[in-house]
mmCIF file of all heavy atoms in Angstrom:
data_model
loop_
_atom_site.group_PDB
_atom_site.id
_atom_site.type_symbol
_atom_site.label_atom_id
_atom_site.label_comp_id
_atom_site.label_asym_id
_atom_site.label_seq_id
_atom_site.Cartn_x
_atom_site.Cartn_y
_atom_site.Cartn_z
ATOM 1 N N ASP Z 299 54.380 -22.958 -141.344
ATOM 2 C CA ASP Z 299 53.749 -22.733 -140.038
ATOM 3 C C ASP Z 299 53.193 -21.313 -139.999
ATOM 4 O O ASP Z 299 53.937 -20.349 -139.827
ATOM 5 C CB ASP Z 299 54.773 -22.947 -138.925
ATOM 6 C CG ASP Z 299 54.160 -22.838 -137.532
ATOM 7 O OD1 ASP Z 299 52.972 -22.464 -137.429
ATOM 8 O OD2 ASP Z 299 54.873 -23.109 -136.545
ATOM 9 N N ARG Z 350 84.840 -10.079 -161.821
ATOM 10 C CA ARG Z 350 85.299 -8.754 -161.364
ATOM 11 C C ARG Z 350 85.857 -7.905 -162.501
ATOM 12 O O ARG Z 350 86.711 -7.048 -162.297
ATOM 13 C CB ARG Z 350 86.329 -8.900 -160.235
ATOM 14 C CG ARG Z 350 85.834 -9.734 -159.070
ATOM 15 C CD ARG Z 350 86.885 -9.890 -157.979
ATOM 16 N NE ARG Z 350 86.521 -10.933 -157.057
ATOM 17 C CZ ARG Z 350 85.723 -10.802 -155.994
ATOM 18 N NH1 ARG Z 350 85.215 -9.612 -155.720
ATOM 19 N NH2 ARG Z 350 85.437 -11.824 -155.223
ATOM 20 N N LEU Z 399 84.613 -1.525 -171.096
ATOM 21 C CA LEU Z 399 84.359 -1.069 -169.716
ATOM 22 C C LEU Z 399 85.476 -1.465 -168.777
ATOM 23 O O LEU Z 399 85.741 -0.766 -167.780
ATOM 24 C CB LEU Z 399 83.039 -1.664 -169.214
ATOM 25 C CG LEU Z 399 81.749 -1.119 -169.876
ATOM 26 C CD1 LEU Z 399 80.551 -1.980 -169.459
ATOM 27 C CD2 LEU Z 399 81.524 0.331 -169.478
#
Side-chain angles (χ1 to χ4, degrees):
D299 185 353
R350 305 179 194 275
L399 290 170

